[in-house]
Amino acid sequence: MQPLTILSIIIVYFGILILISRLVSKKDSSNDTFFKANKNSKWYLVAFGMIGTALSGVTFISVPGEVGAPGGEQFKYFQFILGNAIGFLIVAKVLLPLYYRLNLTSIYGYIEKRLGYYSYKTSAMIFLISRTIGSAFRLYLVVIVLQRYVFDSLGVPFWMTVLISLLLIFAYTYKGGLKTIIITDSLQTLFLVSSVFFTIYFICDSLSLSLPEAFETVKQSNYSKIFFFEDFITSKFHFVKQILGGIFVTIAMVGLDQDLMQKNLSCKNIGEAQKNMFTFTGIFVVINLFFLGVGALLYIYANNNGIDVPMVDGKPRTDLLFPEIAFNHLTLIPSVVFLLGLTAATFATTDSALTALTTSFCVDFLGMDKEQNAGKTNAVRRRHFVHISFSVLMFLVIIIFNTINDASVVSMIFRIASYTYGPLLGLYSFGLFMKNRSVKDKLVPFICIASPLLTLFISMNSSLFFGDYVFDNELIIINGLITLLLLLSISKKQLSTDL
C-alpha cells in the first residue's frame, strides 16, 4: 500500500470521528456531558466500546508478534487473559456497587471519604501518572508503525507524527468528552473486531487454507501452547504467575482506574453497569484468543514466504511483523483492513484516556463536581485548558520514551503498571477490608512512594531472596501487599465504617 493511500484513509477515518463529535456535542458540551455523559449511556454501547479501549494497539500488534518471539511465548498470554476475566468479574461484583452507592464522578472520591484528603490526592495522582505513561506507550506503538510505513517516505519527522495524532484525538474529544467517546469507541471497536476476522480470512486465503484447516495447522504448529506448568521458580510463563498477575493487574488497571470505570459509571444504574461488564468480559476473552490465532498464522505465513521479523537498531522487533506483512506482502484490501483495525485499537484507547485524565484532574484537583464550582462561567474553558495540557504532556512522554525504549512495548507497559498501580491496590484493600481502622493521612503519600521502591528492590534481588524466583505480572501483588502492610503500621482503631 502506498503511503499517500494510507494517509488518505486516515484522513477520512478521522473526518468521520470529528463529524460524529460535532453532532453529539452540538446541543450540549457541558462538564456533566464531558465527565458522565449525563449518566444516560446504553449499557450495550458501553460494553462494545470498552473492547476497543481495553485492547489497544498493544493487543493488535504486540500480542500477535510475541506468539513467535525467541523466548517461546506462544499462547502463554491467554493464561493472563483468563486471569483478566476473573478480575473483571471481581470488579463487577465488588467495586462497581461501591462506586454506584456513593454516586461518584471520580472513583478516587471513595479514598477521600474512607482515608482522608492526602490519601485521596495521592490516589488521584497515581492514576494521572500511571495512565499518562500507559496511554503514551500505547500511542507510541501505533506512531512507530505510521512513521515507518507512511511518514518516513513523506519526510515527516517522528515528533510531527506524534503531534498530528494527538491533535486529531483532541479535535473530536474536547467538546463532548465521554458522551462522544461512547459513540466513537463503539464505531472504532466495530472496525477493530471486523479487522481481526478479516485478517484471519485473508491470511488463510493466502496460505490456501480453509478455516478448519487453519485451526488444525495452528494447533499442530510450534506456536499454540497455552498452559505452562513447568519450572514455577524461574519461568515467567508459569500458569499460576500468569493467572494471579492477570487477576490483580485487572483489578488495579480497570477497577481502580478512572478511565475504564468512567464509562461504567455513565450507565443509568448498577444493574446495567454490571450487565455491561459481564458482556464485555466474554467478548474480551474470545477476541484475545483470535488475536493469538492471528499471531500464529502470521508466523506460519512468514516462514512459508521467507519473511524475516523486521529489525530496528540491529534488534528484531516482533511487534512490527504484523504491519510488515499487511503493508508489504498482502494485497490492498487486507492492508486497508489492518490499517483500520490498528488505528481503531490505538485511538480508542488514547481518546478515552485523555478524557479520563481530564476528568480526574478537573474533579479531584479543581473540584469541578462541587456544587459551588459547577455553575462557574469559566468552568468549561478551564476544562479545555486541562485537556490541552494533558495532550501536551502525553506528547512529551512519547518523545522521551522514543529515545530510551529497549524492550517490547507489551512487557514494558505491564512492568511499569506493576509499580505504579500497586499502591492503589493497597489503598483500596485497606479501605475495604480494614473497616475498623483509620490511617495517619499525611503519611500516606510517603508510603505510596516507598512501596514501589521496595518492590523494585525485591524484584531486582529476587534470586537472592527467593532462590532464583523470577517475577512477572504477579509483582503487582507484592507491591499492593507492601502498601497494605505499611498502611497498617500507621493505622489505629476506629469505629467500623460502612464505606
Side-chain angles (χ1 to χ4, degrees):
M1 190 191 299
Q2 296 299 312
L4 288 176
T5 304
I6 298 175
L7 191 59
S8 300
I9 293 171
I10 292 173
I11 291 172
V12 172
Y13 181 89
F14 280 99
I16 294 172
L17 296 183
I18 292 171
L19 176 62
I20 292 173
S21 172
R22 297 281 177 172
L23 294 174
V24 170
S25 61
K26 186 177 181 180
K27 294 182 180 179
D28 187 2
S29 59
S30 65
N31 284 341
D32 187 60
T33 298
F34 188 96
F35 298 151
K36 298 187 290 186
N38 305 118
K39 227 166 172 52
N40 195 34
S41 299
K42 305 298 183 185
W43 71 266
Y44 45 85
L45 286 179
V46 175
F48 193 62
M50 277 180 63
I51 297 298
T53 302
L55 292 178
S56 82
V58 172
T59 308
F60 201 86
I61 295 180
S62 287
V63 169
E66 285 206 343
V67 168
E73 278 82 345
Q74 300 190 59
F75 275 29
K76 69 96 177 175
Y77 185 67
F78 193 67
Q79 300 174 123
F80 183 74
I81 293 301
L82 294 177
N84 291 159
I86 298 171
F88 287 134
L89 298 179
I90 293 172
V91 170
K93 298 298 289 185
V94 177
L95 292 174
L96 272 181
L98 174 68
Y99 299 152
Y100 266 86
R101 180 161 55 85
L102 297 177
N103 192 29
L104 299 175
T105 299
S106 167
I107 63 172
Y108 308 113
Y110 165 73
I111 295 296
E112 181 179 30
K113 296 175 185 292
R114 178 65 180 85
L115 302 181
Y117 175 85
Y118 292 99
S119 301
Y120 165 50
K121 298 299 182 184
T122 301
S123 61
M125 183 58 69
I126 290 171
F127 162 71
L128 294 178
I129 294 171
S130 303
R131 179 50 70 177
T132 298
I133 293 173
S135 297
F137 286 172
R138 287 168 168 87
L139 183 58
Y140 167 77
L141 181 62
V142 75
V143 170
I144 288 176
V145 175
L146 293 175
Q147 188 67 33
R148 183 184 180 98
Y149 295 99
V150 182
F151 291 105
D152 274 346
S153 62
L154 299 176
V156 178
F158 178 81
W159 68 266
M160 182 62 74
T161 307
V162 178
L163 183 62
I164 291 171
S165 300
L166 287 168
L167 285 174
L168 288 170
I169 293 170
F170 178 83
Y172 72 86
T173 58
Y174 82 101
K175 278 193 173 183
L178 187 61
K179 189 170 184 178
T180 297
I181 284 173
I182 296 297
I183 305 298
T184 57
D185 279 6
S186 297
L187 178 64
Q188 295 192 98
T189 299
L190 177 62
F191 286 127
L192 169 62
V193 173
S194 300
S195 69
V196 176
F197 294 114
F198 279 121
T199 297
I200 291 174
Y201 169 79
F202 288 125
I203 295 178
C204 289
D205 185 60
S206 299
L207 293 170
S208 300
L209 296 173
S210 65
L211 289 178
E213 290 172 339
F215 175 82
E216 191 61 31
T217 300
V218 170
K219 182 180 176 182
Q220 298 300 325
S221 72
N222 295 323
Y223 306 112
S224 60
K225 183 177 180 179
I226 296 178
F227 300 109
F228 292 74
F229 296 101
E230 304 86 5
D231 201 2
F232 174 75
I233 299 295
T234 61
S235 174
K236 292 184 177 181
F237 303 168
H238 195 277
F239 176 79
V240 174
K241 293 182 181 181
Q242 293 295 317
I243 286 287
L244 289 177
I247 292 171
F248 285 94
V249 165
T250 298
I251 292 172
M253 294 184 68
V254 176
L256 308 181
D257 183 286
Q258 177 66 23
D259 188 357
L260 273 297
M261 288 298 96
Q262 187 171 354
K263 291 184 177 181
N264 284 276
L265 295 176
S266 71
C267 294
K268 292 181 179 179
N269 53 58
I270 181 60
E272 292 206 351
Q274 289 179 322
K275 193 186 300 182
N276 149 56
M277 281 296 292
F278 296 147
T279 305
F280 159 76
T281 300
I283 299 174
F284 179 82
V285 171
V286 173
I287 290 296
N288 272 283
L289 186 58
F290 276 103
F291 269 113
L292 291 166
V294 168
L297 289 171
L298 285 171
Y299 278 98
I300 293 169
Y301 180 89
N303 291 335
N304 288 357
N305 292 275
I307 302 170
D308 295 324
V309 174
M311 306 288 287
V312 176
D313 297 329
K315 299 178 181 179
R317 285 292 300 267
T318 59
D319 47 22
L320 291 178
L321 179 64
F322 197 172
E324 172 67 24
I325 291 176
F327 287 141
N328 293 332
H329 298 277
L330 297 178
T331 58
L332 178 62
I333 294 178
S335 299
V336 172
V337 167
F338 167 80
L339 179 63
L340 289 175
L342 174 63
T343 306
T346 302
F347 288 96
T349 302
T350 310
D351 60 18
S352 179
L354 273 176
T355 301
L357 289 166
T358 301
T359 299
S360 178
F361 191 85
C362 289
V363 172
D364 297 324
F365 291 93
L366 301 182
M368 286 191 183
D369 62 329
K370 309 297 184 186
E371 288 186 15
Q372 62 269 29
N373 296 326
K376 289 186 176 180
T377 55
N378 65 341
V380 173
R381 193 182 311 117
R382 292 176 72 193
R383 188 197 78 212
H384 288 167
F385 177 77
V386 172
H387 205 55
I388 293 172
S389 299
F390 275 110
S391 300
V392 172
L393 179 60
M394 197 170 291
F395 170 80
L396 295 175
V397 172
I398 293 173
I399 297 301
I400 293 171
F401 182 61
N402 187 52
T403 65
I404 63 174
N405 180 47
D406 62 353
S408 80
V409 176
V410 66
S411 62
M412 179 67 77
I413 286 174
F414 290 116
R415 187 191 314 165
I416 288 178
S418 295
Y419 294 106
T420 58
Y421 278 90
L424 282 179
L425 197 59
L427 285 168
Y428 277 83
S429 296
F430 184 92
L432 289 169
F433 302 120
M434 305 294 170
K435 293 187 177 182
N436 63 339
R437 304 191 72 86
S438 62
V439 296
K440 294 178 182 178
D441 186 35
K442 289 185 178 181
L443 295 180
V444 170
F446 299 101
I447 284 178
C448 291
I449 294 172
S451 178
L453 293 176
L454 288 171
T455 304
L456 177 62
F457 176 75
I458 291 172
S459 177
M460 292 177 66
N461 295 278
S462 62
S463 59
L464 177 64
F465 296 148
F466 307 107
D468 296 325
Y469 184 88
V470 177
F471 284 102
D472 197 51
N473 295 318
E474 81 279 9
L475 192 63
I476 196 171
I477 304 173
I478 303 299
N479 198 345
L481 182 60
I482 290 173
T483 305
L484 177 60
L485 292 175
L486 291 175
L487 289 172
L488 282 171
S489 71
I490 61 166
S491 67
K492 60 182 180 180
K493 287 188 176 182
Q494 66 167 19
L495 293 176
S496 182
T497 174
D498 59 353
L499 289 179

